[in-house]
Amino acid sequence: MKITPELLKKYAADECSEKERLQVQKWLNNNEDLSTSLPKQKIVEEQKLVWQQIAGNMAADQSTSTVPLYKSVAKYAAAAIILFTIGFFSYQNLPYNFRDGSSESLALKTINTQRGEKRTVTLPDGSTIRMNYETEIRIPEQFEGNERIVYLTGHAHFEVTRDTQRPFIIYTEDSKTQVLGTSFDINTKSEGETEIIVTSGKVAFSEKEQEENLVTLTVNDRAILNANRSIATDKVDAFKLTAWKDNRLVFNGETLQEVIQVLEPWYNVSISVEDPDLLSQDFKYEKDNPTLKVVLDKLAFMGRFEYRLEGDSLIIY
């Protein structure tokens, strides 16, 4: 059983099953010196408050209870280990260049979208991020210093307010994108790849760890950072490939298999096809703000298939 922050919180709240409780106790017994091996960092205010609460509870227990001192200390020692451990997990998950315990790292907030959801976020400098489904961004409450930094996982379109004194930087797991003021689309959803498409202005796109591996892109340029760390570029129709940001559905010769991969998260449905021969058919279709029924009726007519919708499941036959 994997020890996670969620499991430790359940243990601290006395909500674990017997199996979970025994596993956590075993883990605690094997990690008595955990607190001394944790990274040195500033304790955030929330942690300070918890420590104060633990100390207050210990004092209250000793003044009102007949529980032996060693048992009370053991209970709060376990709570202390859990507190430090949860903090350690959170620290390990911070972006690598924010692991300094500075106040800037504590100001980051996370915004997510789910399947079937799109969202537009306005940043402190007036820039906007249009988030596609199943996407996460981490942004500061306010941009400070001489850079504007955002972290992205998933698919988003950026329209960046121009500021020649403060470059705008987007980090994904593997890439770095730097601009002064422009618009572009970044997608990390293909495993091992990051794709960027420029819709206006000029963009510097590079590998995060080796920034000398860099390309400069302009309108209708696309770059893909591959799993082997090479960057491939080509010319595309940026207007069509970024149409999703305006809720415009565009298929330009995609097979039904590829169409399904777009429709499922777009409309939050599960699609199955009873006749596998249908999957190789290709479709050209473009529509603003279409409902799922409108899309299906059109595709069914073009592909000569039928469909039925059962709750969140769609069957094509």
Side-chain angles (χ1 to χ4, degrees), residues 302-316:
M302 291 188 293
R304 298 181 180 179
F305 62 75
E306 296 183 43
Y307 71 89
R308 64 179 183 272
L309 190 61
E310 299 175 352
D312 294 332
S313 296
L314 173 68
I315 298 92
I316 293 175

Side-chain angles (χ1 to χ4, degrees), residues 16-27:
C16 283
S17 66
E18 182 64 16
K19 181 179 178 181
E20 289 173 331
R21 185 182 65 79
L22 293 174
Q23 191 70 23
V24 173
Q25 287 181 343
K26 179 180 178 182
W27 181 83

Side-chain angles (χ1 to χ4, degrees), residues 131-201:
M131 302 171 64
N132 208 345
Y133 52 79
E134 296 179 317
T135 292
E136 175 182 292
I137 59 172
R138 285 170 289 166
I139 59 176
E141 295 287 350
Q142 293 292 331
F143 289 122
E144 298 180 357
N146 56 6
E147 293 179 327
R148 297 170 288 169
I149 297 177
V150 173
Y151 294 87
L152 168 71
T153 302
H155 189 190
H157 188 84
F158 293 79
E159 295 181 6
V160 177
T161 300
R162 186 169 181 80
D163 186 340
T164 58
Q165 303 302 313
R166 294 190 303 166
F168 192 101
I169 299 172
I170 302 99
Y171 287 107
T172 69
E173 182 179 356
D174 302 314
S175 71
K176 174 183 177 181
T177 301
Q178 181 168 323
V179 303
L180 298 178
T182 181
S183 58
F184 49 94
D185 194 277
I186 301 179
N187 191 351
T188 70
K189 289 186 177 181
S190 296
E191 187 172 350
E193 292 185 349
T194 298
E195 176 190 69
I196 180 169
I197 299 171
V198 180
T199 52
S200 71

Side-chain angles (χ1 to χ4, degrees), residues 234-292:
D234 62 353
K235 285 287 187 180
V236 296
D237 186 340
F239 177 76
K240 285 188 177 292
L241 292 182
T242 63
W244 67 268
K245 72 183 188 300
D246 300 313
N247 210 36
R248 186 171 61 253
L249 197 60
V250 177
F251 298 120
N252 193 26
E254 283 83 358
T255 64
L256 182 59
Q257 180 69 62
E258 294 169 323
V259 168
I260 288 171
Q261 292 173 357
V262 173
L263 295 182
E264 284 187 320
W266 189 298
Y267 293 102
N268 193 21
V269 295
S270 175
I271 302 175
S272 60
V273 179
E274 293 184 350
D275 181 358
D277 290 339
L278 293 173
L279 294 172
S280 59
Q281 293 192 58
D282 55 56
F283 295 87
K284 288 190 176 182
Y285 176 74
E286 183 172 339
K287 184 73 172 177
D288 289 339
N289 300 306
T291 64
L292 179 58

